[in-house]
Amino acid sequence: MGVAPLLGGVGTDGDLGPLLCARSGVATAVRWGRRWRETGERRAQRQGSPKRSILDPHAAFLMALVAEQVDVTIEERRARLETARGVSAARVMMWRFVQRRGGSFK
């Protein structure tokens, strides 16, 4: 069976195979073909990993820091997290963590 059905095309005896391999790579074409044979699915799978943060397990700790001291800075949060929990987080990671929870900094 050719790869034409994967693209929704009507190739003759899989003559779209070389085109697909040249465009997407042989390994990709093989994975798509296997997925199509096993599941019948032709759409692309979702890419990337789930949106998780290494800070999620420490959310209660980080929010407690704000409850203790409202004007705590990102740098102070980073330092306290590393000291208390041994977790090193980048500045932007801390910023995104706070933003996702509706917080802000001045």
Side-chain angles (χ1 to χ4, degrees):
M1 173 170 293
V3 295
L6 292 175
L7 300 175
V10 186
T12 58
D13 195 27
D15 51 9
L16 286 179
L19 174 64
L20 179 64
C21 290
R23 188 170 178 204
S24 302
V26 175
T28 300
V30 169
R31 280 194 308 272
W32 286 353
R34 184 181 313 124
R35 182 168 177 247
W36 180 70
R37 284 189 304 275
E38 291 173 358
T39 67
E41 184 62 48
R42 294 189 302 188
R43 281 187 268 154
Q45 288 183 321
R46 185 172 178 211
Q47 292 185 348
S49 60
K51 301 290 184 206
R52 290 187 208 122
S53 170
I54 64 166
L55 299 177
D56 287 341
H58 308 284
F61 174 77
L62 291 169
M63 300 316 272
L65 290 177
V66 176
E68 287 176 19
Q69 181 183 353
V70 179
D71 61 346
V72 65
T73 65
I74 290 179
E75 288 302 321
E76 290 171 334
R77 288 181 194 199
R78 287 180 62 213
R80 301 241 338 242
L81 181 65
E82 190 162 6
T83 301
R85 302 280 176 105
V87 176
S88 178
R91 182 180 179 90
V92 70
M93 184 184 303
M94 294 292 289
W95 177 259
R96 288 179 184 149
F97 176 82
V98 170
Q99 278 188 321
R100 280 195 312 266
R101 284 159 179 76
S104 64
F105 291 102
K106 293 183 180 178

